[in-house]
Amino acid sequence: MNLRVHSYESFGAVDGPGIRLVVFLQGCPLRCVFCHNPDTWATEGGTETPVAEIVRRAIRMRPYWGNGGGVTFSGGEPLLQARALVEAIRALRAEGIHVALDTSGALATAEAFAALDAADLVLLDVKSPTPEGFRAVTGADPAPYWQTLAHLRATQKPLWIRQVVARGLNDTPAEKAATRALLEGLNVRRIDRLPYHELGVHKYEALGLPYRGAHLAPPSQEALVL
């Protein structure tokens, strides 16, 4: 079985514990206002890569990880390729490799839930703590995200929470309170509130795409504290 791979990062240090091979998968159903990887959106892009090749790559890199480390699947939205992703996660774990899954949680299918269950750790993006805000940020139906949250509460999967914070979007005290409420009952091991940046704007220009986040600005340091 194959996965459509956009790119790799060989020595990722922020996408899960330890040093990691980060596999960026192609395709995303969301169009987030602050997205810095619009080149991952198209489902027909990327390179068709056998699961076995990803496992071989990870095994070759394992000596460089030291204690800890592993593989993180990111994107794009890796759950778009959930069926092959489950196979890849299980194959890596069979080799004793720790697997993390970085996801928006915006797909609530049986195969997507199987991928969440198979991973050792889920890095869950919080686009907005309210259904209305989720739709405004992503342009997508918020219902699947809340179904994913319910599944993660039921399974108590270990989570690292990630939330991009921008002035004029989600930096108010009310948004903070709603985010804390959203996380109740989840098995949260870590929370990273990440300041908005414009490092990916040049990609929109190169792709001839409009950038919807032009009205946003980096938050204050105080706004980053949940």
Side-chain angles (χ1 to χ4, degrees):
M1 193 169 289
N2 295 341
L3 284 165
R4 282 192 171 272
V5 175
H6 173 270
S7 56
Y8 299 93
E9 183 178 353
S10 297
F11 293 95
V14 297
D15 297 294
I19 303 301
R20 309 188 70 81
L21 169 65
V22 185
V23 185
F24 295 94
L25 299 184
Q26 186 72 31
C28 186
L30 307 184
R31 297 296 180 265
C32 298
V33 294
F34 44 66
C35 180
H36 58 273
N37 286 323
D39 45 322
T40 67
W41 290 352
T43 55
E44 65 273 13
T47 302
E48 288 276 355
T49 306
V51 164
E53 172 55 32
I54 295 172
V55 175
R56 283 194 294 270
R57 183 184 288 256
I59 290 172
R60 288 198 304 270
M61 288 201 58
R62 181 158 46 185
Y64 299 99
W65 295 338
N67 293 326
V71 174
T72 298
F73 289 99
S74 186
E77 173 47 69
L79 293 182
L80 271 180
Q81 303 184 57
R83 185 180 177 194
L85 181 60
V86 169
E87 180 178 312
I89 293 171
R90 290 174 177 168
L92 288 163
R93 293 193 66 196
E95 295 291 339
I97 295 172
H98 182 278
V99 181
L101 176 57
D102 185 357
T103 176
S104 69
L107 295 169
T109 65
E111 289 181 337
F113 287 171
L116 295 171
D117 295 345
D120 294 289
L121 174 70
V122 172
L123 313 182
L124 180 68
D125 294 337
V126 173
K127 304 299 185 181
S128 172
T130 67
E132 299 80 9
F134 185 93
R135 190 183 298 276
V137 169
T138 68
D141 180 3
Y145 183 73
W146 265 258
Q147 294 169 26
T148 297
L149 289 174
H151 180 80
L152 293 170
R153 284 192 185 92
T155 61
Q156 286 294 291
K157 175 63 63 177
L159 303 177
W160 283 15
I161 299 298
R162 292 178 157 186
Q163 185 179 30
V164 174
V165 181
R167 187 176 301 165
L169 181 70
N170 56 4
D171 63 333
T172 67
E175 287 275 348
K176 284 188 184 183
T179 298
R180 290 193 294 269
L182 183 81
L183 301 181
E184 288 182 2
L186 295 169
N187 185 8
V188 176
R189 305 293 180 85
R190 173 171 167 168
I191 299 175
D192 293 316
R193 282 168 60 86
L194 310 171
Y196 164 79
H197 62 73
E198 296 182 337
L199 297 180
V201 172
H202 69 282
K203 296 181 181 180
Y204 289 82
E205 298 169 355
L207 293 168
L209 296 171
Y211 179 61
R212 297 201 300 129
H215 63 292
L216 301 177
S220 67
Q221 286 300 308
E222 181 182 2
L224 293 176
V225 179
L226 189 59

